Amino acid sequence: MPVATSRAPITWRQGLHGLGAAFGSPQPAAALPDPYWIAHDRDVATLLGLDEHWMSSDEALRALSGNTVLPGSTPLATVYGGHQFGVWAGRLGDGRAVLLGETAQGQEIQLKGSGRTPYSRGGDGRAVLRSSIREFLAGTAMHGLGISTTRALALVGSPLPVQREEQETAAVLTRVAPSFIRFGHFEWFASQGQTTELRQLADYVIERYYPECRDADGAGGNAYAGLLRAVSERTAHLIAQWQAVGFMHGVMNTDNMSILGLTLDYGPFQFMDGYDPRHICNHSDPLGRYAFDEQPGVGHWNVACLARALLPLIADVALAQTVIAAYTPAFHDAYLARMRAKLGLRAAFEGDEACIADLLRLLASERVDYPIFWRRLSHAAASGDHAPVRGLFIDGAAWDAWLLSFKKLLALDGKAPEADLMLKTNPQYVLRNHLAELAIRDAKLGDFSTVQALQRVLAHPFDEHPGHDDWAGFPPDWAGTLSLSCSS
Ligand code: AMP
Ligand code: MG
């Protein structure tokens, strides 16, 4: 049983813990043998008011491995349900995470991989080093890209053996977000007919995160319909950003959908290499429910699950339907805006939608490397030299034809691509699978310098990082052999 530390480095405030016993089970983290530091994020530490001195202390290592309880913290495993791969999965809950509390800055802190809880359902409550490194780096990478995400304060390893397909070792990730509440939290109480708790949760979320919904303009004066609208819009915007940057979540189950529209629960995620809209990044998803081009539609399906859960509060089926129908146009507009920005344009131009669709078809027909294409196009806009872009295509004439049609459309509209906008929209660095794998391989040998260097680069993905050009290059052949599953 972990013991309490002496001083109070974090000031807590009442958050989710105040909702009562129906929302989770008090659950201290399990002891983690011989913990060691792998990495931490100074920006996240600053966000929480933690200084470097504390972050490098033994006290921090003990607390962020789960070996001691921070003063004032009462770790809690929360209960939620969810639809997994389209099927209602019943009760899930934090099976390997505990919420330490909410800081005075309004950030929730969770330990992930911190041992068994009442919701572990036969699992060991642990997370392996491999998947924890991926989640640590993913939070940094997405934040650097300007995409809403949970973040990580620190990553701690341990020699504790953990059995997956093979024996691996354990790690504990300290995750940070304004809230870890999921669609599945609402679905759970709705599924149990616990309307009082459902309302309590909805009121809490509105009060804390969507106060504008209390007035619920445009949602018939119905605060809960207003909440549904706001979450639906945020989800549409988030997925528009994923599609534009070429991010695949891999497991878009409703228990992995954030009520704040954050990218949440990084498992077998992937950033696109060669452009393939049908790409499935999760080996555990043979039917491709969560294939890249399915994500926008799945977002809508998930929002519909949330709508069903909120129906006892909204109490108006037609209104709920109207609200979620707005998801599709919201996604469409947000996606087009992102894609235009990738082309260097701040506003619509005549024929833009068809022009973008043609380009994506061309990229798909040759599996052109997605990040490299956009980055080279950005440099071409600055220099006027399109040869490096053309060089990405086997059928150079097809590229010439697209470029010519694009230039004609812009000329008709009197517009020109802004290279600056493109260089700030099309990253030089994304967390490709093989880059995470390089960091994991080194970490397994006890060398954490690659994790830390990748973290520094990915925090500023639009900048050039001398000495790390290789990380912006094509994936090596072995990247195609990497297989990611839900095993983590
Ligand atoms: P995920 O697939 O990681 O989103 O997890 C789905 C559900 O399974 C959540 O309730 C998790 O807490 C739970 N879970 C996943 N892995 C483990 C594990 N090793 N031990 C206990 N629960 C787990
Ligand atoms: Mg999950």
Side-chain angles (χ1 to χ4, degrees):
M1 169 67 74
V3 293
T5 52
S6 52
R7 289 176 294 113
I10 292 178
T11 310
W12 306 98
R13 75 179 192 197
Q14 177 91 299
L16 191 65
H17 280 74
L19 288 184
F23 294 84
S25 309
Q27 177 64 60
L32 185 75
D34 304 316
Y36 56 83
W37 287 119
I38 297 172
H40 72 268
D41 187 322
R42 286 176 187 221
D43 293 341
V44 177
T46 304
L47 193 67
L48 304 175
L50 296 168
D51 61 31
E52 262 313 285
H53 179 70
W54 189 79
M55 282 309 297
S56 49
S57 69
D58 282 345
E59 182 189 334
L61 181 60
R62 285 193 297 273
L64 302 183
S65 56
N67 285 325
T68 56
V69 182
L70 286 162
S73 163
T74 45
L76 181 79
T78 71
V79 60
Y80 56 83
H83 282 82
Q84 298 189 317
F85 293 91
V87 180
W88 174 244
R91 196 181 81 167
L92 300 167
D94 294 319
R96 52 170 170 173
V98 288
L99 177 65
L100 298 185
E102 180 177 328
T103 71
Q105 299 83 5
Q107 298 288 331
E108 287 187 356
I109 305 183
Q110 257 197 2
L111 297 185
K112 178 170 177 180
S114 51
R116 291 181 51 80
T117 78
Y119 313 110
S120 296
R121 297 176 299 133
D124 57 12
R126 290 299 183 186
V128 295
L129 176 67
R130 155 180 64 81
S131 63
S132 305
I133 288 175
R134 284 172 54 86
E135 180 154 11
F136 178 84
L137 290 175
T140 305
M142 292 296 257
H143 182 73
L145 290 166
I147 301 177
S148 296
T149 179
T150 63
R151 301 174 72 183
L153 172 65
L155 179 58
V156 167
S158 162
L160 180 73
V162 177
Q163 190 63 41
R164 296 292 180 259
E165 284 77 5
E166 55 188 17
Q167 187 166 297
E168 304 187 46
T169 58
V172 171
L173 185 71
T174 307
R175 297 201 294 191
V176 174
S179 172
F180 287 95
I181 295 177
R182 302 145 190 271
F183 289 13
H185 281 97
F186 291 89
E187 289 180 282
W188 172 248
F189 294 113
S191 76
Q192 300 304 296
Q194 289 178 267
T195 309
T196 305
E197 286 79 8
L198 183 67
R199 188 182 304 277
Q200 211 187 334
L201 185 63
D203 288 345
Y204 173 77
V205 168
I206 290 172
E207 184 66 34
R208 291 297 310 279
Y209 308 108
Y210 294 97
E212 69 281 6
C213 292
R214 273 184 308 225
D215 310 327
D217 285 343
N222 185 319
Y224 305 110
L227 174 63
L228 180 63
R229 181 188 300 280
V231 176
S232 173
E233 272 172 13
R234 280 210 203 172
T235 305
H237 280 103
L238 176 71
I239 297 175
Q241 288 188 299
W242 290 359
Q243 299 308 113
V245 83
F247 174 81
M248 290 159 270
H249 182 284
V251 202
M252 287 177 67
N253 295 333
T254 56
D255 52 300
N256 291 336
M257 298 295 292
S258 153
I259 204 72
L260 299 186
L262 309 172
T263 313
L264 171 64
D265 276 12
Y266 293 94
F269 71 87
Q270 189 182 350
F271 282 88
M272 190 74 81
D273 292 321
Y275 185 68
D276 172 11
R278 292 299 306 155
H279 189 68
I280 303 165
C281 65
N282 180 358
H283 191 69
S284 317
D285 179 22
L287 300 180
R289 179 178 173 84
Y290 301 136
F292 177 70
D293 65 356
E294 299 288 343
Q295 294 188 130
V298 170
H300 191 204
W301 194 90
N302 289 345
V303 165
C305 288
L306 179 65
R308 236 184 338 266
L310 289 173
L311 255 188
L313 308 182
I314 297 174
D316 182 338
V317 175
L319 176 59
Q321 283 172 337
T322 307
V323 167
I324 62 171
Y327 170 93
T328 304
F331 168 78
H332 179 260
D333 291 352
Y335 177 67
L336 262 187
R338 297 303 301 169
M339 296 307 286
R340 284 190 207 109
K342 290 177 83 66
L343 288 168
L345 294 152
R346 292 183 194 275
F349 57 97
E350 191 66 34
D352 52 7
E353 205 172 337
C355 176
I356 290 164
D358 285 346
L359 173 58
L360 291 178
R361 256 192 302 278
L362 184 60
L363 296 181
S365 71
E366 295 204 20
R367 298 275 198 275
V368 173
D369 189 276
Y370 192 70
I372 291 179
F373 167 79
W374 288 107
R375 192 68 182 178
R376 286 197 189 177
L377 190 66
S378 312
H379 285 299
S383 69
D385 175 14
H386 278 86
V389 186
R390 193 179 196 275
L392 293 169
F393 294 85
I394 300 164
D395 185 356
W399 164 250
D400 293 341
W402 181 85
L403 186 61
L404 188 65
S405 68
F406 175 57
K407 284 181 174 169
K408 276 187 185 161
L409 287 178
L410 291 190
L412 285 175
D413 247 24
K415 293 194 169 80
E418 291 176 37
D420 283 359
L421 175 63
M422 295 175 78
L423 288 164
K424 284 188 199 129
T425 309
N426 299 308
Q428 167 88 339
Y429 297 95
V430 292
L431 179 55
R432 298 181 191 249
N433 264 348
H434 76 278
L435 299 181
E437 183 64 20
L438 292 174
I440 291 164
R441 284 180 189 173
D442 286 346
K444 283 183 172 173
L445 300 172
D447 173 3
F448 310 123
S449 61
T450 311
V451 177
Q452 292 161 5
L454 261 177
Q455 181 196 2
R456 282 193 297 275
V457 167
L458 292 170
H460 303 283
F462 301 106
D463 296 349
E464 308 285 331
H465 294 271
H468 293 301
D469 297 343
D470 47 337
W471 289 349
F474 292 98
D477 287 343
W478 58 262
T481 66
L482 292 172
S483 171
L484 295 158
S485 70
C486 284
S487 155
S488 60

PDB file of all heavy atoms in Angstrom, residues 436-450:
ATOM      1  N   ALA A 436       8.654   6.064 -33.682  1.00  0.00           N
ATOM      2  CA  ALA A 436       8.328   5.567 -32.340  1.00  0.00           C
ATOM      3  C   ALA A 436       9.083   4.268 -32.081  1.00  0.00           C
ATOM      4  O   ALA A 436       9.610   4.039 -30.980  1.00  0.00           O
ATOM      5  CB  ALA A 436       6.821   5.351 -32.220  1.00  0.00           C
ATOM      6  N   GLU A 437       9.175   3.436 -33.107  1.00  0.00           N
ATOM      7  CA  GLU A 437       9.842   2.145 -32.951  1.00  0.00           C
ATOM      8  C   GLU A 437      11.333   2.331 -32.639  1.00  0.00           C
ATOM      9  O   GLU A 437      11.901   1.596 -31.810  1.00  0.00           O
ATOM     10  CB  GLU A 437       9.655   1.325 -34.239  1.00  0.00           C
ATOM     11  CG  GLU A 437      10.227  -0.075 -34.213  1.00  0.00           C
ATOM     12  CD  GLU A 437       9.572  -0.996 -33.191  1.00  0.00           C
ATOM     13  OE1 GLU A 437       8.445  -0.698 -32.762  1.00  0.00           O
ATOM     14  OE2 GLU A 437      10.216  -2.002 -32.816  1.00  0.00           O
ATOM     15  N   LEU A 438      11.965   3.323 -33.283  1.00  0.00           N
ATOM     16  CA  LEU A 438      13.385   3.586 -32.989  1.00  0.00           C
ATOM     17  C   LEU A 438      13.564   3.951 -31.516  1.00  0.00           C
ATOM     18  O   LEU A 438      14.493   3.475 -30.845  1.00  0.00           O
ATOM     19  CB  LEU A 438      13.913   4.727 -33.871  1.00  0.00           C
ATOM     20  CG  LEU A 438      14.029   4.447 -35.367  1.00  0.00           C
ATOM     21  CD1 LEU A 438      14.426   5.718 -36.112  1.00  0.00           C
ATOM     22  CD2 LEU A 438      15.046   3.330 -35.627  1.00  0.00           C
ATOM     23  N   ALA A 439      12.649   4.796 -31.031  1.00  0.00           N
ATOM     24  CA  ALA A 439      12.731   5.220 -29.622  1.00  0.00           C
ATOM     25  C   ALA A 439      12.499   4.032 -28.693  1.00  0.00           C
ATOM     26  O   ALA A 439      13.166   3.903 -27.653  1.00  0.00           O
ATOM     27  CB  ALA A 439      11.700   6.317 -29.354  1.00  0.00           C
ATOM     28  N   ILE A 440      11.568   3.168 -29.066  1.00  0.00           N
ATOM     29  CA  ILE A 440      11.245   2.004 -28.237  1.00  0.00           C
ATOM     30  C   ILE A 440      12.430   1.037 -28.193  1.00  0.00           C
ATOM     31  O   ILE A 440      12.805   0.541 -27.123  1.00  0.00           O
ATOM     32  CB  ILE A 440       9.979   1.299 -28.781  1.00  0.00           C
ATOM     33  CG1 ILE A 440       8.749   2.184 -28.561  1.00  0.00           C
ATOM     34  CG2 ILE A 440       9.801  -0.080 -28.144  1.00  0.00           C
ATOM     35  CD1 ILE A 440       7.521   1.778 -29.375  1.00  0.00           C
ATOM     36  N   ARG A 441      13.029   0.791 -29.355  1.00  0.00           N
ATOM     37  CA  ARG A 441      14.163  -0.146 -29.397  1.00  0.00           C
ATOM     38  C   ARG A 441      15.299   0.339 -28.497  1.00  0.00           C
ATOM     39  O   ARG A 441      15.879  -0.446 -27.739  1.00  0.00           O
ATOM     40  CB  ARG A 441      14.684  -0.278 -30.838  1.00  0.00           C
ATOM     41  CG  ARG A 441      13.784  -1.128 -31.695  1.00  0.00           C
ATOM     42  CD  ARG A 441      14.343  -1.237 -33.104  1.00  0.00           C
ATOM     43  NE  ARG A 441      13.342  -1.876 -33.965  1.00  0.00           N
ATOM     44  CZ  ARG A 441      13.465  -1.998 -35.280  1.00  0.00           C
ATOM     45  NH1 ARG A 441      14.534  -1.535 -35.903  1.00  0.00           N
ATOM     46  NH2 ARG A 441      12.531  -2.594 -35.976  1.00  0.00           N
ATOM     47  N   ASP A 442      15.598   1.642 -28.573  1.00  0.00           N
ATOM     48  CA  ASP A 442      16.677   2.175 -27.727  1.00  0.00           C
ATOM     49  C   ASP A 442      16.293   2.099 -26.253  1.00  0.00           C
ATOM     50  O   ASP A 442      17.113   1.752 -25.401  1.00  0.00           O
ATOM     51  CB  ASP A 442      16.993   3.623 -28.117  1.00  0.00           C
ATOM     52  CG  ASP A 442      17.756   3.686 -29.440  1.00  0.00           C
ATOM     53  OD1 ASP A 442      18.254   2.635 -29.890  1.00  0.00           O
ATOM     54  OD2 ASP A 442      17.835   4.786 -30.033  1.00  0.00           O
ATOM     55  N   ALA A 443      15.037   2.426 -25.961  1.00  0.00           N
ATOM     56  CA  ALA A 443      14.597   2.436 -24.560  1.00  0.00           C
ATOM     57  C   ALA A 443      14.677   1.030 -23.964  1.00  0.00           C
ATOM     58  O   ALA A 443      15.007   0.868 -22.790  1.00  0.00           O
ATOM     59  CB  ALA A 443      13.178   2.987 -24.458  1.00  0.00           C
ATOM     60  N   LYS A 444      14.372   0.037 -24.771  1.00  0.00           N
ATOM     61  CA  LYS A 444      14.443  -1.340 -24.261  1.00  0.00           C
ATOM     62  C   LYS A 444      15.875  -1.716 -23.904  1.00  0.00           C
ATOM     63  O   LYS A 444      16.110  -2.622 -23.108  1.00  0.00           O
ATOM     64  CB  LYS A 444      13.886  -2.323 -25.301  1.00  0.00           C
ATOM     65  CG  LYS A 444      12.363  -2.322 -25.347  1.00  0.00           C
ATOM     66  CD  LYS A 444      11.838  -3.351 -26.332  1.00  0.00           C
ATOM     67  CE  LYS A 444      10.315  -3.478 -26.227  1.00  0.00           C
ATOM     68  NZ  LYS A 444       9.755  -4.341 -27.284  1.00  0.00           N
ATOM     69  N   LEU A 445      16.842  -0.992 -24.498  1.00  0.00           N
ATOM     70  CA  LEU A 445      18.254  -1.232 -24.177  1.00  0.00           C
ATOM     71  C   LEU A 445      18.734  -0.291 -23.070  1.00  0.00           C
ATOM     72  O   LEU A 445      19.927  -0.238 -22.766  1.00  0.00           O
ATOM     73  CB  LEU A 445      19.119  -1.046 -25.426  1.00  0.00           C
ATOM     74  CG  LEU A 445      18.793  -1.987 -26.606  1.00  0.00           C
ATOM     75  CD1 LEU A 445      19.586  -1.586 -27.845  1.00  0.00           C
ATOM     76  CD2 LEU A 445      19.076  -3.439 -26.224  1.00  0.00           C
ATOM     77  N   GLY A 446      17.797   0.495 -22.528  1.00  0.00           N
ATOM     78  CA  GLY A 446      18.160   1.391 -21.433  1.00  0.00           C
ATOM     79  C   GLY A 446      18.629   2.765 -21.890  1.00  0.00           C
ATOM     80  O   GLY A 446      19.119   3.564 -21.097  1.00  0.00           O
ATOM     81  N   ASP A 447      18.474   3.049 -23.180  1.00  0.00           N
ATOM     82  CA  ASP A 447      18.901   4.349 -23.716  1.00  0.00           C
ATOM     83  C   ASP A 447      17.653   5.175 -24.047  1.00  0.00           C
ATOM     84  O   ASP A 447      16.935   4.855 -25.000  1.00  0.00           O
ATOM     85  CB  ASP A 447      19.754   4.110 -24.970  1.00  0.00           C
ATOM     86  CG  ASP A 447      20.093   5.405 -25.689  1.00  0.00           C
ATOM     87  OD1 ASP A 447      19.723   6.496 -25.193  1.00  0.00           O
ATOM     88  OD2 ASP A 447      20.722   5.334 -26.762  1.00  0.00           O
ATOM     89  N   PHE A 448      17.415   6.239 -23.268  1.00  0.00           N
ATOM     90  CA  PHE A 448      16.195   7.026 -23.447  1.00  0.00           C
ATOM     91  C   PHE A 448      16.447   8.296 -24.257  1.00  0.00           C
ATOM     92  O   PHE A 448      15.578   9.161 -24.348  1.00  0.00           O
ATOM     93  CB  PHE A 448      15.582   7.366 -22.084  1.00  0.00           C
ATOM     94  CG  PHE A 448      15.458   6.140 -21.213  1.00  0.00           C
ATOM     95  CD1 PHE A 448      16.047   6.095 -19.959  1.00  0.00           C
ATOM     96  CD2 PHE A 448      14.793   5.019 -21.682  1.00  0.00           C
ATOM     97  CE1 PHE A 448      15.957   4.953 -19.182  1.00  0.00           C
ATOM     98  CE2 PHE A 448      14.707   3.861 -20.917  1.00  0.00           C
ATOM     99  CZ  PHE A 448      15.290   3.826 -19.665  1.00  0.00           C
ATOM    100  N   SER A 449      17.649   8.419 -24.826  1.00  0.00           N
ATOM    101  CA  SER A 449      17.980   9.657 -25.543  1.00  0.00           C
ATOM    102  C   SER A 449      17.126   9.822 -26.798  1.00  0.00           C
ATOM    103  O   SER A 449      16.802  10.947 -27.185  1.00  0.00           O
ATOM    104  CB  SER A 449      19.469   9.691 -25.897  1.00  0.00           C
ATOM    105  OG  SER A 449      19.784   8.598 -26.737  1.00  0.00           O
ATOM    106  N   THR A 450      16.726   8.729 -27.419  1.00  0.00           N
ATOM    107  CA  THR A 450      15.917   8.864 -28.636  1.00  0.00           C
ATOM    108  C   THR A 450      14.496   9.315 -28.291  1.00  0.00           C
ATOM    109  O   THR A 450      13.923  10.165 -28.983  1.00  0.00           O
ATOM    110  CB  THR A 450      15.892   7.538 -29.428  1.00  0.00           C
ATOM    111  OG1 THR A 450      17.233   7.072 -29.570  1.00  0.00           O
ATOM    112  CG2 THR A 450      15.276   7.730 -30.802  1.00  0.00           C
TER     113      THR A 450
END
